[in-house]
Amino acid sequence: MGFAETFKALSDSVRRDILMLLREGGMSAGEIGSHFDMTGATISYHLNILKKAGLIFETKEKNYIYYTLNTSVVEEVMLWLSELKGGSSDDQGE
């Protein structure tokens, strides 16, 4: 995973909203698209950027593709941000 792709993906509010939707579990592109007022092609564009960044997985089941959150990448970003901040909040009082 490259942080440049990850932060590019996270820079858009629609993609952040998609990630929030996927916290609850896997969804098809149609289910994701029903939450937004945009074309299917636009939803596919956003899903593709999230996939390239490693933030979501896609799984094919019969005629559908389901998207799920890749929590390991999210955890890696959070760890990096924590290190950037200077470690855990427990370390700040020392």
Side-chain angles (χ1 to χ4, degrees):
M1 173 208 60
F3 281 124
E5 292 89 4
T6 303
F7 286 117
K8 176 186 176 190
L10 293 173
S11 71
D12 186 275
S13 64
V14 171
R15 293 190 286 270
R16 291 191 306 269
D17 289 344
I18 291 171
L19 293 175
M20 294 298 284
L21 287 171
L22 293 176
R23 284 186 319 168
E24 304 303 319
M27 299 175 83
S28 69
E31 291 170 321
I32 293 167
S34 71
H35 291 85
F36 301 93
D37 185 24
M38 55 185 64
T39 66
T42 303
I43 292 294
S44 292
Y45 168 78
H46 287 297
L47 290 170
N48 196 31
I49 290 176
L50 290 168
K51 259 190 337 188
K52 285 182 181 177
L55 290 165
I56 62 174
F57 294 119
E58 74 174 20
T59 307
K60 295 179 183 179
E61 293 181 24
K62 297 184 182 179
N63 294 334
Y64 295 95
I65 297 175
Y66 290 92
Y67 297 90
T68 54
L69 188 61
N70 181 358
T71 55
S72 64
V73 171
V74 174
E75 290 169 357
E76 188 175 339
V77 170
M78 290 179 65
L79 177 64
W80 181 81
L81 288 171
S82 176
E83 290 171 357
L84 182 65
K85 181 182 168 196
S88 69
S89 58
D90 296 340
D91 295 340
Q92 292 178 2
E94 295 179 26

